[in-house]
Amino acid sequence: MLLSIFVLGGGVGVLSVHHYTRDDFPSHFIFGSATSAYQVEGAANQDGRTPTIWDTFAHAGHAHGHNGDVACDEYHKYKDDVQLMVETGLDAYRFSISWSRLIPNGRGPVNPKGLQYYNNLINELIKNGIEPHVTLFNFDLPQALEDEYGGWVSRRIIRDFRDYADVCFREFGDRVLYWTTVNEPNVFALAGYDEGEGPPLRCSTPFGVLNCNTGNSTFEAYLAAHHILLAHSSAATLYRTKYKDKQHGFIGIAVYTFGILPQTNTEKDILAVQRVHEFYVGWILDPLMYGDYPNIMKINAGSRIPAFTSAESKQLKGSLDFIGVIYYTNFNVTDNSDILKRKIRDFDADMAAQLAGKQDLFSEEEYTVDPWGLQQVLKKLKLLYGNPPIYIYENGQRSQSNPSLHDVSRVKYLHEHIGSVLDALRNGSNIRGYFAWSFMDLFELLDGYESGYGLYYVDRNDPDLKRYPKLSAHWYARFLRGTTTSRIGTIQLDKDPSLLSLAHLFQ
Ligand SMILES: *[C@@H]1O[C@H](CO)[C@@H](O)[C@H](O)[C@H]1NC(C)=O
Ligand SMILES: *[C@@H]1O[C@H](CO)[C@@H](O)[C@H](O)[C@H]1NC(C)=O
Ligand SMILES: *[C@@H]1O[C@H](CO)[C@@H](O)[C@H](O)[C@H]1NC(C)=O
């Protein structure tokens, strides 16, 4: 009996039948899932870890009063989690290292317990055939460095970051081949230093979303990103000169991207789309590919955006082996050139464009399932940067954290987006892998535990924080085992008796 289960999204109009299987992807293409340290590890005050700017932010109540003190307790449950990854059929797991767990206070001696934890996790992954993809910095700067010299707004961060990266390459590089220096530097800089809605909560009136009492929105986001870029290229150069010959790994950075449409078909809005791309994505990738910021940023921001020396520019250029793409959704853009007449400006004003719905970036709403934006991003990166290797490091559907496990819209979202990756591959994009965000429901930056992107639900009322597979975990596992998946949104459960027990979920 063919048990053809559900039709999604309240009436599917066009039946663009697009079946695909895992075998349609190149054999070297990898599928994984992702998390980050503060969002899953817990054990925040254990075994020598010290607080980070993200701990401080959460404890000040900015994530619905939630924090990552316990999170998913992956610090103690990593073996069980790796078994779940095996059951799901993941090729790879993307996680981040907590700087202040490995090197408490950010600089100086390595914490043996922190070292042990990451060695254990990496060994457990490798023993189970799962490739580690490791991020070095995911918003969680050691608070000690923030207190000492202002963290990313000081040039001193470049050396401390490089030394931290050196420890990671030295200790783990015999087993880790894929390194991301920094996660979403564009979002981190804007949220943390311009809008003041993310750690370390710096901004100035009239620009901040929250009332910041420290910082300066007119230039600190540019400054923080500048130091991130220099820290990246410094670590990448170190890797290439000291480790690459022995370890043969790759260095990337992970950039937040989105699809962009002009609100109207006027030249003004079309040019605004171009500016938005340059301000959000070119800001980070142009220096790493070509050695300098996009021209329009230098023109509009003037002396508020720092300049690279020619030596820095030379070191930056080509310091990326791959681009990590973070993609969730799309925005419309309207021209806002009049704002350039304003005397005091910040990043948004310099961009002279407005993103419709930008304030909803972190809301709890579900994303509309509209994968053209991912294709647009992939196509742009291919054209602008000479078809570089790409890992899609985050992509997933947000929903309210919900114990029903019936995450139909996430299944539909993943299905459509993985399908659009296949289209882009067939068009010649150099995409090497896809990672669903997130492996389990975890501590989100602003939503805390109110929203969840996870393939696995974590029961926070259970002291043991038991994980339960959602429909999406089953769907992903079936896809990874080679089952055909079809774009019209049906899942065929006939061939897998283990899934029949799920049938009740669809009624
Ligand atoms: C921010 O810096 C600019 C440029 O140095 C300065 O004009 C402005 O007064 C500063 N704003 C605040 C709030 O300190
Ligand atoms: C976004 O812009 C497109 C035109 O490019 C338009 O068709 C669509 O309705 C706009 N969406 C919103 C939410 O305004
Ligand atoms: C693939 O290329 C064709 C021809 O250039 C283009 O029309 C289509 O939009 C592209 N699709 C993707 C997913 O990039």
Side-chain angles (χ1 to χ4, degrees):
M1 181 185 65
L2 181 82
L3 197 54
S4 183
I5 296 303
F6 60 86
V7 179
L8 297 152
V12 176
V14 188
L15 299 185
S16 73
V17 184
H18 186 142
H19 297 273
Y20 62 84
T21 72
R22 191 198 172 130
D23 288 342
D24 292 322
F25 289 79
S27 58
H28 59 265
F29 192 94
I30 57 159
F31 284 96
S33 187
T35 64
S36 90
Y38 187 60
Q39 297 179 280
V40 292
E41 282 181 4
N45 307 306
Q46 276 181 40
D47 291 349
R49 180 185 180 277
T50 63
T52 72
I53 59 174
W54 200 345
D55 297 58
T56 307
F57 172 83
H59 279 274
H62 297 293
H64 292 288
H66 305 159
N67 62 60
D69 285 2
V70 175
C72 305
D73 200 25
E74 186 164 287
Y75 187 72
H76 296 107
K77 297 182 184 306
Y78 69 92
K79 284 194 178 176
D80 296 341
D81 285 341
V82 171
Q83 282 319 301
L84 288 183
M85 293 172 205
V86 171
E87 283 169 31
T88 317
L90 302 190
D91 302 315
Y93 179 49
R94 173 181 182 245
F95 63 94
S96 76
I97 290 176
S98 165
W99 184 342
S100 72
R101 190 185 292 292
L102 190 62
I103 307 177
N105 302 318
R107 160 164 14 90
V110 171
N111 170 19
K113 294 232 166 108
L115 189 61
Q116 183 70 56
Y117 173 66
Y118 293 109
N119 273 322
N120 289 346
L121 173 61
I122 290 165
N123 290 341
E124 189 71 14
L125 288 165
I126 287 178
K127 194 172 87 190
N128 284 281
I130 297 173
E131 176 107 58
H133 281 238
V134 177
T135 302
L136 296 177
F137 177 73
N138 197 107
F139 291 31
D140 49 352
L141 188 78
Q143 183 67 43
L145 300 184
E146 187 74 18
D147 294 344
E148 185 183 344
Y149 54 71
W152 290 106
V153 294
S154 165
R155 277 192 86 89
R156 291 173 63 184
I157 193 70
I158 299 167
R159 165 172 274 216
D160 283 344
F161 180 81
R162 191 203 56 193
D163 291 349
Y164 159 56
D166 196 3
V167 171
C168 294
F169 299 150
R170 184 184 75 217
E171 298 294 338
F172 311 124
D174 57 332
R175 288 151 292 157
V176 174
L177 291 178
Y178 298 92
W179 296 100
T180 298
T181 53
V182 178
N183 180 61
E184 294 182 1
N186 46 358
V187 168
F188 175 71
L190 288 173
Y193 299 86
D194 181 343
E195 289 152 8
E197 58 176 341
L201 270 186
R202 294 175 69 87
C203 66
S204 60
T205 47
F207 301 107
V209 173
L210 301 173
N211 260 336
C212 303
N213 49 22
T214 164
N216 189 322
S217 298
T218 67
F219 66 84
E220 278 195 359
Y222 292 126
L223 189 62
H226 193 73
H227 294 145
I228 287 174
L229 290 165
L230 293 172
H232 165 95
S233 69
S234 178
T237 303
L238 176 81
Y239 188 82
R240 286 173 180 178
T241 52
K242 196 166 161 190
Y243 296 100
K244 177 104 180 170
D245 279 353
K246 275 182 299 203
Q247 298 183 350
H248 312 292
F250 307 95
I251 310 279
I253 203 163
V255 188
Y256 183 87
T257 67
F258 43 88
I260 326 172
L261 278 184
Q263 180 70 31
T264 68
N265 208 13
T266 55
E267 199 189 336
K268 273 182 142 189
D269 283 356
I270 291 165
L271 286 173
V273 164
Q274 179 63 21
R275 282 200 302 283
V276 167
H277 175 84
E278 296 192 287
F279 271 76
Y280 270 89
V281 177
W283 183 22
I284 306 303
L285 293 183
D286 278 20
L288 302 180
M289 292 294 191
Y290 300 126
D292 203 2
Y293 294 115
N295 238 342
I296 188 72
M297 292 192 83
K298 296 197 286 183
I299 293 168
N300 288 8
S303 62
R304 287 175 294 112
I305 190 165
F308 296 115
T309 66
S310 58
E312 287 169 346
S313 172
K314 211 170 142 202
Q315 191 184 64
L316 282 159
K317 194 173 165 178
S319 65
L320 268 189
D321 296 318
F322 65 87
I323 297 173
V325 168
I326 314 275
Y327 170 88
Y328 291 97
T329 190
N330 314 313
F331 296 104
N332 273 10
V333 163
T334 338
D335 172 78
N336 191 22
S337 299
D338 283 350
I339 208 165
L340 291 171
K341 293 177 195 140
R342 193 150 94 181
K343 250 197 172 141
I344 302 178
R345 297 204 301 268
D346 69 338
F347 178 95
D348 264 352
D350 291 337
M351 189 166 66
Q354 215 126 38
L355 298 190
K358 177 152 171 283
Q359 295 307 322
D360 294 330
L361 203 61
F362 296 113
S363 83
E364 288 155 33
E365 282 164 41
E366 291 191 351
Y367 298 118
T368 50
V369 179
D370 219 359
W372 67 263
L374 179 56
Q375 299 192 343
Q376 183 193 52
V377 166
L378 294 170
K379 199 165 164 179
K380 264 193 181 150
L381 297 178
K382 173 180 150 190
L383 293 175
L384 290 174
Y385 302 115
N387 207 11
I390 284 176
Y391 288 91
I392 295 163
Y393 266 161
E394 287 183 30
N395 177 239
Q397 174 63 297
R398 170 172 54 200
S399 55
Q400 297 224 334
S401 195
N402 184 345
S404 91
L405 308 180
H406 187 200
D407 59 342
V408 171
S409 83
R410 180 163 299 106
V411 171
K412 183 169 186 188
Y413 185 100
L414 294 174
H415 174 86
E416 291 287 322
H417 285 82
I418 292 173
S420 78
V421 170
L422 182 58
D423 288 345
L425 271 169
R426 285 178 170 158
N427 260 15
S429 269
N430 193 3
I431 310 158
R432 307 290 180 88
Y434 174 93
F435 291 68
W437 182 267
S438 47
F439 184 61
M440 58 193 144
D441 288 348
L442 44 71
F443 177 67
E444 286 289 344
L445 182 63
L446 299 186
D447 291 352
Y449 301 104
E450 305 266 306
S451 74
Y453 291 72
L455 302 172
Y456 287 81
Y457 172 73
V458 177
D459 183 359
R460 307 206 63 78
N461 294 317
D462 176 355
D464 203 33
L465 296 167
K466 191 164 158 45
R467 288 84 157 115
Y468 295 88
K470 300 181 192 177
L471 184 61
S472 55
H474 291 291
W475 177 85
Y476 201 37
R478 285 170 57 79
F479 166 64
L480 294 179
R481 282 198 301 266
T483 310
T484 302
T485 173
S486 101
R487 278 242 170 130
I488 57 171
T490 58
I491 289 186
Q492 296 171 356
L493 303 187
D494 57 316
K495 294 195 191 80
D496 186 346
S498 73
L499 276 178
L500 287 174
S501 61
L502 275 177
H504 69 279
L505 291 176
F506 302 100
Q507 285 156 11

